[in-house]
Amino acid sequence: MEENNTEKKFRSASFSWYPGHMAKTKRHMIEDLKLIDLVVEILDARIPVASRNPDLAHYVKNKRQIIVLNKSDLADENSTNDWVKYFRNNGINAIAIEANSKKGINQLLKLINLVNTDIQKKYKQKGRIGYVTKAMIFGIPNVGKSTVINSLSGKKTAKVENRPGVTKQKQWIRIADNIQLMDTPGMLWPKFENEKIAMNLAFTNSIGQNAMDTEEVAFYLLKLLVNNYKSNVESRYNIVIADDSNLLNDNFYIVELRDNIAKNNGCIVSGGNIDETKVSNMILNDFQLGKFGRITLEKPE
Ligand SMILES: Nc1nc2c(ncn2[C@@H]2O[C@H](COP(=O)(O)OP(=O)(O)OP(=O)(O)O)[C@@H](O)[C@H]2O)c(=O)[nH]1
Ligand SMILES: [Mg+2]
């Protein structure tokens, strides 16, 4: 059967997800890691697989590591608990937090202090007195690294904004007499052996808007949501969605649904046509702001 235009358009996601400056950031990161005692990797609780760096384990072999599931206010609570258990079962310290409301920050601070006690002991045994532990805050763009640092230090030293690429340079921030944290620019690593990972990073606003086709990304997000969180979409947009899995996987039906959502929400250009950009941005923003409720896109096996 011949492929029609709609199918062609949405067949593959194509965006330049790996900007040139990332290669340089990666080189600096590998160099900086040599100084580091503890790596705190910040993951997005909605996408713990896509937001995790696949190579980090290789570089932090002999270092202490903590995994932080941030933005857990936007993720499904049960799934977040499952993820914390999953990491702990694999021998990794893990904790869920909401950095901007500071929920869980005290527990994270306690965990860092606990690990630091160990690190300090090691240096003391080697005769190093007054050593300052160096911890690196690591993670994909826009995951909340700078927010975590500000919450931990109780100061607004690190710049925070809701777009990827805000932190341009590393910055040291002291959180205790013998601990300093390094804030780092968001790091996207080439690992997209499948498009699903790239899409999940786009849905959660870790890939810059300029590097992706907003309409394509919003289409896939809507398709994913109606297949997994149908009632959340129905109540957000006050629409009825078919109870038929064939239809929910039919791209024509998803486009029809998107157009209905556009009409109901004033996303219309003159002449009565659908404003595809406006409706696409609305769907993406609604997801990123948690307007569909708490949603986790990746579950532990
Ligand atoms: N809902 C929610 N938003 C958060 C949370 N933590 C941070 N944010 C928001 O996420 C956005 C990005 O936060 P940043 O701290 O700038 O993220 P970053 O990882 O430093 O980003 P880059 O420096 O660009 O790599 C901001 O709008 C924060 O307010 C959280 O726990 N929940
Ligand atoms: Mg930052």
Side-chain angles (χ1 to χ4, degrees), residues 144-147 158-160 166-167 183-186:
K145 298 176 294 299
S146 298
T147 311
K159 195 169 149 199
V160 167
V166 173
T167 305
D183 190 11
T184 60

Side-chain angles (χ1 to χ4, degrees), residues 70-71 73 98-100 142-147 162 165-167 186:
N70 190 37
K71 304 202 180 182
D73 53 310
E98 300 172 17
N100 55 358
N142 208 34
V143 72
K145 298 176 294 299
S146 298
T147 311
N162 187 18
V166 173
T167 305

